[in-house]
């Protein structure tokens, strides 16, 4: 999926609300379903919404947690795949 | 949303609004026509329709001010020709269809609670084929606005030197409000954002995208949206900043952060108003592009201002969730059961007292049961 390149865009039917603890919820306006995002998911979403590369975020998390960047990238890929499968993200021009 | 009597007063004394409606009604009403006035309030428009030759007027409004209209039509000796109904037009089932339907259900903008749903229902179900629906078209405009004073009033209280209050700023920039700026505060010329043609719309959602190429260096703090209307027969009015101020006002949508725009920058904006659970959920997205690169992007909405945690709501709506009732719900249940079995207010109070639930003792119980009676009794 190559997440650092970030060729994703947030779906137009999805609203984002960051909560007081840094986590966030997404509201799918078409189904009126809510989805929870943890703090890293929330930051990933924000980066995609701004059209930013995910590389700085991956590197930052890797440095802060001492985890190999490839593992972080795989985790974010998994998150992106889930968001895509739920129709919350779209693939295409950012 | 309903209006206060002062707001109704403002509407009927706004000479531009009232003038356009009066002239359009003059053109629309033929002698003997049956007219429906949706949102009649104290009944001014209904009386006007009668004066203009209507044979009968149905004047409808869910707002309690319509009770005054009942008295007013009697006072004016026309209770046989104006039927006043307290309720919503969706529940109105007349024997004959209407020749003319007139309404002004707008707030600052035409999307006001169920306003568009009411208009579509009236058009499809209550209007005689070939009948006249007023208003005809509302056109909405948007302009990017430079207004440091307004922006400061929104974020200033939370921009502390001593404490980091940024989570509050992240919320308050998602609150839109009534503002009216001057034409020189437009960073770029206003453009049409959306159009509501009441003759043809098929749904309540309103959305549109607008782009500008910035011509001079400016700072942008938000958007302002207003509408112009064609009431009918070429008659209308505009609430644009360079026109005389009307009773409606404009809506200001702040940006997450002020944008420093340079000549040549592109500004892409998408604004959506989606009808959800009886109200409009607004979303405004902004993208600033310089030399082909996105240099700033914001995605804002009413949801971004919410302090509720939807996860809690979600968990309480799960099919396997078993609710534990609050004291208030227990008190409501006992009171409702008592009423349903024919108890009087005093008898329901006695039953609730006997149940000994939390604060529901003495005067609190009496007031609670009285308010329940008011809420659930058939009028």
């Amino acid at each position: 999926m190559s997440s650092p390149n970030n060729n994703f865009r947030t779906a137009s039917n999805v609203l984002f609300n960051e909560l007081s603890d840094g986590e966030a919820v997404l509201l799918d306006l078409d189904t009126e379903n809510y989805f929870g995002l943890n703090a890293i998911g929330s930051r990933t979403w924000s980066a995609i919404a701004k059209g930013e590369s995910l590389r700085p975020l991956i590197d930052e998390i890797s440095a802060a947690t001492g985890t190999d960047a490839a593992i972080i990238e795989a985790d974010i890929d998994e998150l992106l795949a889930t968001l895509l499968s739920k129709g919350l993200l779209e693939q295409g021009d950012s | 949303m309903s209006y206060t009597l002062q707001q109704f007063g403002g509407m009927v004394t706004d000479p531009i609004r009232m003038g356009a409606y009066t002239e359009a009604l003059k053109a629309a009403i033929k002698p003997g026509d049956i007219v429906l006035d949706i949102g009649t309030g104290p009944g001014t428009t209904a009386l006007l329709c009668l004066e203009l030759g209507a044979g009968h007027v149905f004047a409808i409004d869910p707002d309690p001010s319509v009770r005054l209209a009942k008295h007013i039509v009697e006072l004016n000796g026309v209770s046989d020709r104006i039927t006043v109904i307290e309720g919503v037009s969706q529940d109105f089932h007349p024997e004959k269809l209407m020749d003319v339907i007139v309404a002004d259900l707008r707030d600052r903008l035409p999307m006001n609670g169920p306003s568009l749903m009411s208009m579509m229902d009236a058009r499809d179900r209550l209007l005689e084929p070939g009948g006249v629906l007023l208003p005809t078209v509302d056109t909405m405009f948007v302009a990017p606005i430079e207004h440091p004073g307004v922006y400061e009033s929104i974020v200033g209280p939370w921009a502390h030197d001593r404490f980091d209050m940024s989570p509050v700023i992240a919320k308050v920039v998602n609150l839109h409000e009534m503002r009216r700026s001057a034409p020189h505060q437009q960073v770029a010329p206003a453009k049409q954002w959306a159009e509501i043609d009441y003759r043809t719309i098929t749904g309540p959602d309103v959305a549109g995208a607008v782009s500008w190429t910035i011509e001079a260096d400016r700072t942008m703090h938000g958007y302002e949206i207003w509408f112009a209307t064609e009431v009918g027969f070429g008659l209308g009015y505009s609430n644009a900043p360079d026109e005389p101020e009307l009773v409606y006002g404009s809506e200001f949508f702040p940006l997450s952060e002020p944008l420093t725009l340079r000549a040549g920058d592109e500004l892409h904006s998408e604004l959506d108003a989606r009808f959800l659970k009886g109200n409009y959920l607004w979303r405004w997205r902004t993208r600033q592009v310089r030399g082909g690169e996105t240099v700033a992007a914001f995605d804002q909405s009413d949801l971004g201002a919410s302090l509720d945690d939807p996860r809690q709501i979600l968990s309480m709506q799960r099919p396997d969730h078993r609710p534990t009732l609050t004291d208030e719900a227990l008190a409501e249940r006992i009171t409702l059961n008592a009423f349903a079995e024919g108890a009087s207010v005093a008898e329901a109070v006695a039953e609730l007292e006997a149940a000994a639930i939390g604060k529901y003792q003495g005067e609190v119980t009496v007031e609670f049961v009285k308010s329940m009676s008011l809420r659930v009794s058939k009028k």
Side-chain angles (χ1 to χ4, degrees):
Chain A
M1 196 163 293
S2 190
S3 57
N5 295 337
N6 183 15
N7 63 337
F8 303 99
R9 61 177 174 223
T10 57
S12 60
N13 57 311
V14 180
L15 293 188
F16 170 82
N17 183 21
E18 188 169 356
L19 301 169
S20 51
D21 54 7
E23 298 190 0
V25 288
L26 300 174
L27 168 61
D28 183 331
L29 292 167
D30 292 339
T31 61
E32 297 184 27
N33 283 331
Y34 282 105
F35 299 87
L37 289 176
N38 65 18
I40 290 173
S42 171
R43 291 186 61 190
T44 305
W45 183 274
S46 296
I48 292 168
K50 291 177 183 171
E52 295 172 355
S53 161
L54 299 178
R55 175 52 65 194
L57 179 63
I58 292 166
D59 291 343
E60 185 193 324
I61 298 166
S62 171
T65 61
T67 310
D68 192 280
I71 295 172
I72 309 284
E73 193 173 325
D75 284 352
I76 287 185
D77 271 354
E78 199 179 314
L79 169 68
L80 297 177
T82 306
L83 294 172
L84 276 170
S85 71
K86 302 277 184 196
L88 302 168
L89 273 188
E90 293 164 355
Q91 212 155 4
D93 300 322
S94 59
Chain B
M1 194 199 88
S2 57
Y3 305 106
T4 63
L5 285 175
Q6 288 96 326
Q7 284 169 319
F8 273 117
M11 289 163 79
V12 298
T13 53
D14 185 323
I16 295 172
R17 171 193 176 278
M18 209 54 201
Y21 265 89
T22 303
E23 291 306 312
L25 283 167
K26 260 186 207 169
I29 295 174
K30 299 183 294 299
D33 271 358
I34 305 176
V35 179
L36 172 62
D37 172 17
I38 306 176
T40 192
T44 314
T45 303
L47 288 164
L48 175 67
C49 291
L50 211 56
E51 202 174 78
L52 294 173
H56 198 96
V57 183
F58 292 93
I60 193 162
D61 202 320
D63 189 81
S65 60
V66 79
R67 293 169 200 163
L68 291 173
K70 285 184 184 172
H71 184 48
I72 287 164
V73 298
E74 282 169 20
L75 207 58
N76 286 274
V78 291
S79 51
D80 57 332
R81 295 170 62 205
I82 297 181
T83 305
V84 178
I85 302 160
E86 182 173 351
V88 295
S89 55
Q90 283 94 330
D91 294 335
F92 178 48
H93 298 278
E95 288 173 9
K96 291 176 78 175
L97 295 177
M98 304 294 130
D99 300 302
V100 177
I101 296 178
V102 59
D104 181 0
L105 308 178
R106 310 174 188 95
D107 186 22
R108 299 191 282 268
L109 294 170
M111 297 81 81
N112 181 23
S115 58
L116 301 192
M117 300 297 282
S118 302
M119 293 295 284
M120 288 187 288
D121 168 70
R123 175 197 66 198
D124 295 341
R125 200 173 54 78
L126 302 173
L127 189 63
E128 183 74 32
V132 179
L133 179 67
L134 307 175
T136 310
V137 181
D138 284 344
T139 307
M140 282 166 288
F141 297 89
V142 61
I145 297 291
E146 179 170 27
H147 206 321
V150 165
Y151 201 81
E152 171 63 18
S153 74
I154 295 167
V155 306
W158 312 108
H160 264 263
D161 290 336
R162 288 176 60 201
F163 310 118
D164 183 355
M165 304 295 281
S166 55
V168 184
I169 294 177
K171 293 289 172 191
V172 294
V173 293
N174 290 288
L175 294 169
H176 45 98
E177 57 188 30
M178 185 168 101
R179 292 285 171 181
R180 185 174 165 88
S181 60
H184 74 268
Q185 290 171 309
Q186 293 177 11
V187 169
K191 289 192 174 185
Q192 181 174 325
W193 162 59
E195 184 183 85
I196 299 168
D197 188 331
Y198 292 102
R199 297 163 300 188
T200 55
I201 52 166
T202 55
D205 296 345
V206 180
V210 181
S211 293
W212 291 268
T213 300
I214 302 302
E215 291 182 359
D217 295 2
R218 294 283 290 264
T219 303
M220 174 185 171
H221 296 94
Y223 301 97
E224 199 162 296
I225 299 183
W226 63 88
F227 74 93
T229 185
E230 185 190 334
V231 179
F233 303 95
L235 297 154
Y237 48 86
S238 166
N239 199 29
D242 56 351
E243 298 278 347
E245 189 165 0
L246 302 176
V247 67
Y248 301 98
S250 310
E251 195 78 357
F252 179 78
F253 295 80
L255 292 182
S256 295
E257 297 165 19
L259 274 185
T260 304
L261 297 169
R262 284 195 210 146
D265 283 0
E266 290 168 35
L267 181 67
H268 302 286
S269 309
E270 291 174 67
L271 299 107
D272 304 347
R274 191 179 291 231
F275 189 66
L276 214 60
K277 294 182 177 25
N279 279 303
Y280 278 94
L281 182 64
W282 280 89
R283 180 188 209 175
W284 55 110
R285 283 178 286 178
T286 307
R287 199 155 59 89
Q288 178 189 10
V289 176
R290 183 175 293 160
E293 293 285 320
T294 298
V295 291
F298 308 129
D299 185 352
Q300 296 172 258
S301 74
D302 288 324
L303 188 66
S306 171
L307 297 172
D308 293 331
D309 184 344
R311 291 171 302 184
Q312 199 178 27
I313 297 168
L314 197 62
S315 74
M316 287 194 289
Q317 291 177 332
R318 284 168 59 109
D320 59 351
H321 175 66
R322 294 178 196 280
T324 304
L325 295 186
T326 61
D327 282 359
E328 189 181 359
L330 288 168
E332 282 192 10
R333 180 186 176 201
I334 287 165
T335 310
L336 269 182
N337 277 343
F339 286 160
E341 284 164 17
S344 67
V345 167
E347 287 162 349
V349 168
E351 281 196 39
L352 186 51
E353 287 268 9
I357 299 166
K359 68 174 184 181
Y360 294 95
Q361 298 293 321
E363 194 55 32
V364 173
T365 312
V366 175
E367 289 307 316
F368 179 79
V369 173
K370 280 186 190 171
S371 70
M372 282 285 289
S373 174
L374 203 59
R375 185 154 65 87
V376 303
S377 297
K378 271 192 182 168
K379 302 258 177 346

